[in-house]
Amino acid sequence: MSTATDVEDLLREHAPQVLSALVRRHGGFDTCEDAVQEALLAAAVQWPADGVPANPIGWLTTVASRRWTEHWRSDAARRRRERTAAALASPGSGPVPEADDTLALLMLCCHPSLTRVSQVALTLRAVGGLSTAEIARAFLVPESTVAQRISRAKQRIRASGAEFRMPSPAERPKRVAAVMEVLYLIFNEGYTASSGTALNRTELTAEAIRLTRQLHARLPDDGEVAGLLALMLLTDARRPARTGPDGALIPLAEQDRSLWDSRAIAEGIALITRTLASAPVGPYQIQAAIAAVHDEAPRAGDTDWRQILGLYDLWQRIAPGPMVALNRIVAVAMVEGPHAALRQLTAAEADPALAGHHRVHAVRAHLLDLTGDRQAARTHYELAARETLSLPEQRYLYSRARNATSG
């Protein structure tokens, strides 16, 4: 018998394939997504008790297709309930989709009739499997705002008559840019989960890397696609050393670098080296280059922080943002000292997007710790711990608060 957690992982993995199969077969994104969600709910109830069927994708596709037919035929809630009971009684295995259309589904979710934020929110929901609350935390906006964006996005796709296909060459740049932003957010949510008991959600990082590989295979000369893939590989390579046996977070400077995935690092460095030499520089390539500098250092003390600061300066010039400024401040501390970094942090935290964000308190605590102001550092570590929704991060920040006054 499968556990509820096993089933949840399996459903997250298969949901995009089932949705893309339904959209290709029936059209009508919004109705298909509703049908798939009901099939997923049925599976979440039945599979833990009855066991996972031999062909889970076929099972989900069959149930979702029957639910879609019911929605299409029915004009009253009574008939929908009756047909749901019949459809879920004993679903067959159903045909398995021959092709994985997840990438085409990504492109559909990034239809040009949608705003960028709606494109990203809808894709995270339909393809990435993130909850509305998780998306809201990624965007630093209220959950109700994200829910409204997703609802409006599905309505606009239906009204536009969008076809389930890869975009034309003229449409491709904007669609690809939106897809990359989606994949970037999915990866980040997986690498450092914004809430919950686990630091990592490997099903999300693995899916983001898989889809980015597909995108790179289709667009091998796109420097930013290559940069995004390199960034994911170079970052995910450190995952085995990020937590201890008890699940506690281990910061980069204290990690056992022998645990890092050397093959992923080699692949990522080769990718970013090639693309920096042949394509216009963009934000994903700069981030990959920063990750490469960290990964190439045999020890934390060997890190070339001046090179990292220079890369942050370049990133801030071509794509400024509050998180870029916040991360750059850490590099400033390593090159110019913590007092200079604290002055810049005071200016950066005036950005409304950073108001109340736990990372501002965490960075300030780190900088105060470096100056020797242990009591103030403890105060800000505790503030950061209270504001984060990630339990591993919370435990780590409270441990830093204790160490700040005992050190």
Side-chain angles (χ1 to χ4, degrees):
M1 183 178 295
S2 300
T3 66
T5 301
D6 292 336
V7 168
E8 182 181 349
D9 292 342
L10 196 60
L11 294 178
R12 188 186 291 275
E13 177 185 350
H14 292 322
Q17 279 183 271
V18 176
L19 178 55
S20 59
L22 228 64
V23 174
R24 181 174 292 281
R25 180 182 302 175
H26 301 295
F29 178 88
D30 54 343
T31 304
C32 288
E33 211 248 343
D34 289 343
V36 170
Q37 290 301 316
E38 293 186 34
L40 295 175
L41 179 60
V45 172
Q46 294 183 31
W47 290 6
D50 301 340
V52 176
N55 183 357
I57 295 179
W59 192 101
L60 289 167
T61 303
T62 297
V63 173
S65 291
R66 291 176 178 174
R67 193 68 178 100
W68 182 92
T69 300
E70 178 190 336
H71 277 296
W72 182 70
R73 289 177 177 172
S74 66
D75 57 8
R78 178 186 58 79
R79 291 182 61 192
R80 284 200 298 271
R81 288 193 296 269
E82 291 172 354
R83 290 181 181 273
T84 298
L88 299 182
S90 56
S93 61
V96 178
E98 294 183 1
D100 183 354
D101 288 327
T102 306
L103 190 57
L105 181 60
L106 276 165
M107 295 293 189
L108 178 65
C109 291
C110 297
H111 192 271
S113 67
L114 307 179
T115 64
R116 174 58 59 84
V117 292
S118 293
Q119 290 171 344
V120 174
L122 179 61
T123 311
L124 284 169
R125 179 70 183 89
V127 186
L130 272 68
S131 69
T132 304
E134 289 167 336
I135 300 169
R137 284 192 289 274
F139 282 121
L140 305 178
V141 297
E143 186 175 345
S144 59
T145 300
V146 174
Q148 291 171 1
R149 287 173 181 169
I150 291 173
S151 177
R152 287 196 299 264
K154 294 198 302 189
Q155 292 171 8
R156 285 197 178 187
I157 284 182
R158 182 178 67 248
S160 71
E163 297 179 2
F164 186 56
R165 59 174 177 79
M166 294 299 290
S168 68
E171 298 175 301
R172 184 174 294 170
K174 288 185 177 180
R175 302 278 282 277
V176 170
V179 167
M180 285 194 293
E181 186 175 350
V182 167
L183 297 177
Y184 180 64
L185 288 172
I186 294 173
F187 179 84
N188 284 344
E189 178 63 28
Y191 192 69
T192 304
S194 57
S195 64
T197 58
L199 181 66
N200 305 307
R201 295 170 62 182
T202 55
E203 74 279 7
L204 292 183
T205 53
E207 181 67 4
I209 292 172
R210 184 184 74 83
L211 291 173
T212 307
R213 284 192 186 279
Q214 285 190 14
L215 196 62
H216 178 56
R218 287 177 178 266
L219 305 172
D221 297 326
D222 189 307
E224 279 291 80
V225 174
L228 179 59
L229 179 56
L231 172 62
M232 290 180 180
L233 292 169
L234 291 164
T235 305
D236 194 56
R238 306 179 205 138
R239 178 167 44 83
R242 290 184 74 224
T243 54
D246 60 351
L249 186 154
I250 301 175
L252 181 62
E254 300 172 19
Q255 289 175 14
D256 180 354
R257 299 186 176 212
S258 67
L259 298 177
W260 289 0
D261 186 338
S262 58
R263 286 185 296 180
I265 291 172
E267 183 183 359
I269 289 175
L271 266 172
I272 191 58
T273 301
R274 285 197 303 271
T275 192
L276 285 174
S278 60
V281 176
Y284 293 119
Q285 294 168 74
I286 294 172
Q287 292 175 76
I290 292 170
V293 174
H294 281 296
D295 288 7
E296 288 178 313
R299 299 172 302 171
D302 299 324
T303 304
D304 188 346
W305 282 102
R306 288 192 179 276
Q307 184 179 357
I308 289 175
L309 181 57
L311 289 166
Y312 271 116
D313 288 340
L314 177 59
W315 186 4
Q316 197 167 41
R317 283 199 299 273
I318 66 174
M323 284 301 172
V324 179
L326 194 60
N327 289 329
R328 179 185 174 277
I329 285 168
V330 177
V332 169
M334 301 304 293
V335 176
E336 301 176 14
H339 292 288
L342 280 166
R343 289 192 293 271
Q344 294 191 21
L345 179 60
T346 299
E349 67 182 343
D351 191 316
L354 294 177
H357 200 285
H358 77 277
R359 287 210 60 220
V360 175
H361 289 299
V363 170
R364 184 176 292 281
H366 172 66
L367 299 177
L368 289 167
D369 217 349
L370 291 176
T371 68
D373 190 344
R374 309 292 189 187
Q375 189 58 50
R378 174 174 182 168
T379 297
H380 284 279
Y381 277 129
E382 290 176 343
L383 284 170
R386 287 198 292 270
E387 291 176 2
T388 182
L389 298 176
S390 167
L391 293 181
E393 279 192 332
Q394 187 179 87
R395 289 194 295 268
Y396 168 73
L397 290 165
Y398 275 128
S399 72
R400 296 292 296 179
R402 291 191 296 272
N403 292 338
T405 50
S406 63

